[in-house]
Amino acid sequence: MSTRGAWFLSVFFLFLLAVLGAVAWVAYEKLPKVHGKVDAPVLGVPSGALNYEPTPAYTGPHPRMMSRPPEYFPFPISIGEVGPVETLFTGPSKYPFFCGRNAITNKQPLVDNQVKEGVPVFALNEAGEKTKEVIGYSRDCSHATEVTYFYRSTTDGKFRYLFEARNDIDKVTVNGRQVDFIIRVETGTINRHFYAIAALRGDGETAEAPNGSNWNRRLIYQFRGGVGIGGRQGNLNKGDVTRRRVDQLARGYAIVYSTANQTRNHYNMWLAEDTARRLKKQFEALYGEPMYTVGIGGSGGAIQQYLFAQNAPGLLDAVIPLYSYPDMVTQTIYAFDCEPLEYFFDVQDADNPRWKSVEERSILQGLAANPEVNSRFHMINVAASLFDSRYRNRARGATECVEGWRGLVPLVNNPNFVHFFKSFSTSVVDNVHWTHWENLRQFYGAGENGYANSTWDNEGVQYGLKALVNGDISIDTFLKVNASIGGWKAQENQSDEKLWFLNGGLLPVKLSVWSEQNLNLGTIAKPAKRSRASMEAINGIYRSGHVFLGDVEIPIVDMRHYLDKEPDMHHSSASFSARERIRRARGHADNHLIWVSHKDHNPVDEALDIVDRWMQNIINNPSKGVVGNRPEGANDRCFDREGNVLAAGPEVWNGEWNGLASGKCMREYPIHSTSRQVAGAPITDDIFKCALQPVERALAKGVYGPHTEEITGRIDDLLRIFPTGVCNFNEQDLARPKEQLIPMEIPVKIAGHLIDPDYRQGKIMQEVSVDEVDVMAAPVSAPSEEAQD
């Protein structure tokens, strides 16, 4: 090669590196990535903590039917003292456990051992700064209770430490008089997690003896969301209970919150409830019993409210779930379909020009898509396309599968992957099964291989069935997608992820956004193997109260911004899934309101006002029950961007989901579907393990509609794809407990009053069998942070 040619080649190579570097940097800045190195990682765990022995799934009573043990801890926790470490009824503490940060006190956790279990704790110098000298280790991350006072500044509206005040303390009017906007914030640890209590400073109070004179006697329990698999305490900052709830504090509400009630840290609802009970005891020991407690919080925070209302009536008297899902576990049913379907569109059927339109993908996925949204993974695809042709000529826009769920499936399901691995020593990381299943192994159980059981199953699921019946896809596409999509490999057979920055890598040479190395894949000639769930795990998770059955009595205002166009993971159809579960369980859903608003308007205060009137009615007339005390104006509604009510009343959310003509709110904010609903499942989205029927029987019943004759001509393909049969969604989940988990006759306690349960038509839990009904269940369909919390 000539000198001139070598020079041009060098320049081109340098240019390519510069372009790649620029693209990588933009991608790095825009995408979530692995947590950085920490000063004090977990170095070790107690002996036996990582012995993965076979464990039976939970077989005990539903939490609704369990009595909770008496409290043994002497509340209140005084300033300088430490709250309980071991839970009341959840079970022994699990390890490893990474200590978070209390940004209010900026203190290290307390030393509890000298044998290198947990995180190192460092000596402080005279200036109070950490040195490199290790004085011990903290296994359980305890912090002593402390009190800090904040005020809201009139200069910028921010909360500042009271000692910083310079004649700029704001004023609020509560209980008919004007007072300084000064908040007492108490923090400490309960059940190894941070807690916080916030309330307006009372008359003449001291930090040690708070006074509730400026409290309006109403308590808000703050919940937060995220996807977590345990193993960490979480972080606490003043915004969790001040900025986040500033309007309510100004009205005299008291706020309580624990990092055990943020699902970013874990999804163990027993631990969440155990901690909530104890935090309320701490609050009541300081301020007295509230008139009522209302829950509020979004996403995973909404899930906790639904499950608390079902599992532990009386803990919360009313709830305002934001951006809700009914529960976490049933979301995995369709969320785990996302990457197999996206891999089909992007790779296995890449020659089909139809999938270059993200809106077309909704025909199979059900979830929303928007061609005008620039996906947050766009730049990563551009960078990866330099190395891998699969990332070239990608579809324009984004689907909810990509924007909402990409990266979360491996977090929940892959034992080798965790994005906060730098919080632990290598010896700890390599010996932990990092999955949601493992975090809740006491409920799911674990097999002989030591891995916790999974509830995910797609045996017999006919992806795109409704689209086929409606003529939206061809028989060839229907057969190809079902032959290509198999399932997720067993946990013991999964390898690490290839998610670039989420794994700490530098270049996207081996990037896989789909995790296809952990998928079972196939062709028409050799169809992929489907996944089978553990029947015991499904049964156990139902019994443990982690599935929302719909059996709730208290007032509920299910509220969300309309985010389907984003397309955000908090899709609006989830509210209707919850409603239908309630109706199915109780014969009605008259205690359940659905509010949807344009994202520029926040109706939280309006919801609190509705709840307050509702609760006052219940307190004054408990014999009328919850629905009988529903106040005027407590109805379904939708709002525009200015906060105007577009429509309100019992018909506004009618639509295909309930077989009625679309109401005004449904037309304004149309809901979408899920992949399982497109496959024939009901809108409740709660069938883990479908009943199977032979392909021949499905054909005889006309499941394939006008395409029955053509499908009959391809029966050999169908039998290869579905050797054990296809789903019959007219029958209930095969692994769901057959007995009635929650008897109807037991009253619930609301605001201190026993309320007779309101069931109509009895329980409608037992679905009719295939021998009694030969029609396919009608699913919902779509035409072709937590935003606040």
Side-chain angles (χ1 to χ4, degrees):
M1 181 183 293
S2 67
T3 302
R4 184 179 181 84
W7 180 82
F8 275 117
L9 184 62
S10 297
V11 170
F12 174 76
F13 182 70
L14 290 173
F15 173 76
L16 181 63
L17 284 178
V19 170
L20 175 60
V23 170
W25 178 253
V26 173
Y28 181 82
E29 287 298 295
K30 286 191 174 184
L31 284 175
K33 40 199 170 287
V34 68
H35 289 203
K37 184 179 179 181
V38 297
D39 292 335
V42 173
L43 300 180
V45 299
S47 176
L50 302 181
N51 292 341
Y52 294 119
E53 302 294 334
T55 305
Y58 179 73
T59 58
H62 191 275
R64 180 75 164 266
M65 306 309 299
M66 290 168 47
S67 61
R68 308 304 190 259
E71 180 58 71
Y72 62 84
F73 190 86
F75 289 99
I77 311 162
S78 299
I79 294 174
E81 295 182 348
V82 178
V85 172
E86 290 300 327
T87 63
L88 186 62
F89 60 85
T90 307
S93 296
K94 296 180 180 179
Y95 302 94
F97 191 66
F98 176 67
C99 301
R101 178 177 176 236
N102 182 339
I104 298 174
T105 65
N106 287 314
K107 298 284 184 68
Q108 296 183 86
L110 300 175
V111 171
D112 56 29
N113 75 93
Q114 295 292 337
V115 292
K116 295 188 177 182
E117 292 178 2
V119 304
V121 180
F122 302 96
L124 304 180
N125 61 23
E126 292 180 357
E129 300 167 333
K130 287 193 297 185
T131 67
K132 294 184 179 181
E133 179 189 354
V134 175
I135 59 173
Y137 301 85
S138 185
R139 177 197 310 113
D140 293 314
C141 307
S142 294
H143 283 247
T145 289
E146 296 193 30
V147 170
T148 308
Y149 284 94
F150 296 95
Y151 77 100
R152 185 181 180 185
S153 173
T154 56
T155 60
D156 56 13
K158 293 182 179 179
F159 282 96
R160 302 183 179 279
Y161 290 98
L162 184 57
F163 63 80
E164 298 175 343
R166 299 294 183 268
N167 297 316
D168 61 339
I169 298 176
D170 202 358
K171 302 283 187 180
V172 293
T173 300
V174 294
N175 299 335
R177 61 199 185 100
Q178 193 175 71
V179 299
D180 289 340
F181 200 168
I182 297 174
I183 304 298
R184 178 190 188 272
V185 177
E186 177 180 300
T187 67
T189 51
I190 293 175
N191 291 355
R192 302 193 302 168
H193 288 80
F194 290 121
Y195 79 86
I197 296 173
L200 283 169
R201 183 179 68 175
D203 298 338
E205 78 169 39
T206 63
E208 294 78 11
N211 185 318
S213 59
N214 293 321
W215 173 37
N216 68 7
R217 316 308 298 177
R218 296 154 178 84
L219 178 63
I220 290 176
Y221 203 112
Q222 172 72 50
F223 296 89
R224 296 191 63 189
V227 178
I229 57 170
R232 53 184 178 175
Q233 181 181 40
N235 299 321
L236 181 70
N237 62 71
K238 71 176 187 291
D240 291 329
V241 288
T242 55
R243 176 190 53 78
R244 185 174 291 271
R245 296 271 76 90
V246 57
D247 293 339
Q248 291 76 52
L249 286 167
R251 297 173 63 184
Y253 284 88
I255 317 293
V256 294
Y257 165 70
S258 168
T259 57
N261 296 115
Q262 181 177 13
T263 53
R264 180 177 181 268
N265 301 320
H266 72 92
Y267 263 97
N268 186 329
M269 291 299 109
W270 286 30
L271 173 59
E273 181 202 323
D274 193 314
T275 308
R277 287 183 179 277
R278 287 182 145 174
L279 180 47
K280 283 193 67 176
K281 283 187 177 296
Q282 175 69 6
F283 176 84
E284 291 171 4
L286 296 172
Y287 289 94
E289 189 172 346
M291 181 189 306
Y292 63 81
T293 302
V294 55
I296 190 168
S299 191
I303 286 171
Q304 293 176 79
Q305 293 174 72
Y306 271 123
L307 292 177
F308 281 17
Q310 169 184 274
N311 299 345
L315 184 56
L316 302 176
D317 301 303
V319 294
I320 305 176
L322 312 175
Y323 317 106
S324 71
Y325 304 107
D327 58 63
M328 181 270 189
V329 192
T330 55
Q331 305 317 302
T332 65
I333 295 173
Y334 64 82
F336 277 34
D337 290 338
C338 275
E339 293 302 2
L341 284 167
E342 287 290 332
Y343 189 73
F344 173 78
F345 298 136
D346 290 337
V347 181
Q348 293 172 297
D349 204 29
D351 293 336
N352 189 340
R354 183 176 192 179
W355 310 130
K356 295 297 185 287
S357 167
V358 292
E359 289 177 304
E360 290 293 309
R361 299 183 179 200
S362 294
I363 292 169
L364 294 180
Q365 289 178 338
L367 301 167
N370 189 334
E372 304 303 321
V373 171
N374 200 14
S375 170
R376 63 193 177 98
F377 286 86
H378 174 68
M379 293 306 298
I380 252 195
N381 292 331
V382 171
S385 68
L386 298 174
F387 304 94
D388 191 334
S389 62
R390 298 178 302 174
Y391 295 92
R392 298 168 193 158
N393 302 315
R394 301 293 295 276
R396 179 170 172 267
T399 66
E400 184 189 323
C401 273
V402 171
E403 291 301 279
W405 302 104
R406 178 154 286 172
L408 294 181
V409 172
L411 176 63
V412 171
N413 192 52
N414 188 342
N416 308 300
F417 173 71
V418 61
H419 63 291
F420 51 93
F421 65 88
K422 290 188 177 181
S423 300
F424 307 88
S425 67
T426 301
S427 61
V428 171
V429 172
D430 292 344
N431 287 287
V432 175
H433 297 171
W434 299 102
T435 66
H436 161 76
W437 320 114
E438 181 60 41
N439 187 228
L440 271 66
R441 76 156 34 210
Q442 69 195 95
F443 308 118
Y444 291 116
E448 292 296 327
N449 59 14
Y451 287 86
N453 299 322
S454 165
T455 61
W456 195 73
D457 189 287
N458 69 343
E459 184 179 18
V461 174
Q462 300 187 86
Y463 292 105
L465 177 61
K466 186 177 178 65
L468 174 69
V469 171
N470 291 341
D472 295 326
I473 60 172
S474 68
I475 291 171
D476 285 339
T477 296
F478 173 73
L479 293 173
K480 185 174 184 179
V481 68
N482 280 288
S484 301
I485 292 179
W488 293 93
K489 292 179 180 178
Q491 293 175 65
E492 63 269 29
N493 297 327
Q494 293 193 26
S495 58
D496 199 3
E497 295 299 319
K498 301 176 182 179
L499 291 175
W500 193 6
F501 288 123
L502 286 180
N503 292 75
L506 180 62
L507 297 175
V509 178
K510 296 181 179 179
L511 173 73
S512 169
V513 294
W514 312 278
S515 304
E516 84 276 5
Q517 72 275 12
N518 291 323
L519 291 172
N520 297 319
L521 303 170
T523 63
I524 287 285
K526 189 177 180 180
K529 180 183 177 182
R530 295 293 181 91
S531 293
R532 287 184 179 178
S534 161
M535 300 282 277
E536 293 79 10
I538 298 171
N539 192 279
I541 208 65
Y542 267 112
R543 292 183 182 279
S544 69
H546 284 81
V547 177
F548 182 61
L549 304 174
D551 206 317
V552 288
E553 188 78 43
I554 65 176
I556 302 169
V557 183
D558 185 305
M559 192 175 74
R560 66 177 66 243
H561 289 128
Y562 187 68
L563 302 175
D564 287 39
K565 292 181 180 179
E566 301 297 307
D568 191 274
M569 67 191 299
H570 301 104
H571 50 263
S572 53
S573 67
S575 295
F576 298 88
S577 176
R579 169 160 292 184
E580 184 58 13
R581 294 191 200 185
I582 296 170
R583 186 208 61 79
R584 182 186 61 185
R586 306 176 66 78
H588 71 97
D590 294 341
N591 60 321
H592 184 254
L593 313 184
I594 294 177
W595 289 10
V596 179
S597 173
H598 188 279
K599 65 181 181 180
D600 289 347
H601 174 62
N602 183 359
V604 164
D605 278 332
E606 294 161 81
L608 282 167
D609 289 341
I610 285 287
V611 164
D612 189 58
R613 285 159 40 207
W614 205 335
M615 291 305 306
Q616 296 282 3
N617 290 348
I618 292 172
I619 291 167
N620 293 330
N621 299 285
S623 63
K624 292 175 63 177
V626 173
V627 175
N629 278 304
R630 193 165 123 172
E632 184 178 353
N635 46 31
D636 290 343
R637 62 177 70 172
C638 54
F639 305 83
D640 67 12
R641 68 191 316 152
E642 282 80 31
N644 301 309
V645 176
L646 295 171
E651 298 88 19
V652 295
W653 289 117
N654 285 344
E656 187 173 351
W657 71 276
N658 64 356
L660 298 172
S662 293
K664 186 171 182 180
C665 288
M666 185 62 73
R667 295 194 299 272
E668 185 70 23
Y669 298 126
I671 67 173
H672 291 81
S673 178
T674 67
S675 55
R676 295 302 173 99
Q677 292 172 35
V678 176
I683 191 173
T684 48
D685 262 331
D686 59 350
I687 297 181
F688 294 97
K689 181 69 178 176
C690 71
L692 295 174
Q693 57 186 329
V695 168
E696 295 87 349
R697 182 164 180 77
L699 280 164
K701 291 164 56 180
V703 163
Y704 304 97
H707 305 281
T708 300
E709 186 175 342
E710 298 164 274
I711 284 285
T712 302
R714 303 287 297 274
I715 193 169
D716 288 343
D717 289 331
L718 208 58
L719 288 171
R720 276 202 314 278
I721 297 168
F722 299 106
T724 58
V726 296
C727 286
N728 172 18
F729 285 112
N730 288 308
E731 294 193 22
Q732 75 167 36
D733 192 319
L734 286 184
R736 182 173 180 156
K738 297 297 186 288
E739 73 270 27
Q740 190 170 287
L741 295 177
I742 304 174
M744 294 185 292
E745 65 274 6
I746 300 176
V748 299
K749 181 178 284 188
I750 300 177
H753 299 279
L754 287 178
I755 306 296
D756 289 333
D758 180 8
Y759 292 96
R760 305 172 199 169
Q761 308 165 18
K763 287 226 173 191
I764 319 173
M765 304 299 288
Q766 299 299 322
E767 310 292 347
V768 289
S769 71
V770 65
D771 296 324
E772 297 170 317
V773 172
D774 281 343
V775 295
M776 188 173 67
V780 68
S781 67
S784 264
E785 165 209 51
E786 321 169 292
Q788 174 207 319
D789 260 51

